[in-house]
């Protein structure tokens, strides 16, 4: 899968989101705002719920879950 620039298109479902600060988050774009379900930093894992990011640069669809 390729990262999609948010300048080109916004996701219409929950997706992986990349931030300017090199984090990958799970969230969506709704009503003009990014809603983030949780995030993982590049040097460990941290969970944050109900957090809003303004620095989303790219996104990609979530992978299929394992069978």
């Amino acid at each position: 899968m390729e990262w999609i620039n948010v300048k080109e298109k916004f996701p219409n479902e929950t997706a992986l989101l990349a931030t300017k600060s090199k984090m990958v988050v799970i969230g969506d774009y709704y009503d003009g705002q990014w809603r983030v379900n949780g995030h993982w930093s590049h040097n460990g894992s941290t969970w944050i719920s109900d957090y809003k990011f303004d620095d989303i640069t790219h996104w990609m669809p979530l992978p299929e879950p394992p069978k």
Side-chain angles (χ1 to χ4, degrees):
M1 283 189 254
E2 296 286 324
W3 287 101
I4 300 166
N5 192 314
V6 298
K7 292 178 182 176
E8 297 171 15
K9 182 179 175 183
F10 290 107
N12 58 6
E13 59 190 43
T14 301
L16 292 176
L17 311 174
T19 71
K20 291 178 187 175
S21 56
K22 308 251 190 265
M23 289 189 292
V24 174
V25 297
I26 298 173
D28 58 26
Y29 189 76
Y30 178 77
D31 199 24
Q33 291 187 15
W34 292 104
R35 295 186 309 175
V36 175
N37 305 98
H39 86 274
W40 289 265
S41 66
H42 65 282
N43 61 357
S45 74
T46 306
W47 181 259
I48 294 178
S49 60
D50 299 327
Y51 192 84
K52 294 179 183 174
F53 283 89
D54 293 326
D55 64 346
I56 306 298
T57 62
H58 293 77
W59 67 276
M60 73 168 57
L62 291 175
E64 290 294 321
K67 294 181 182 184

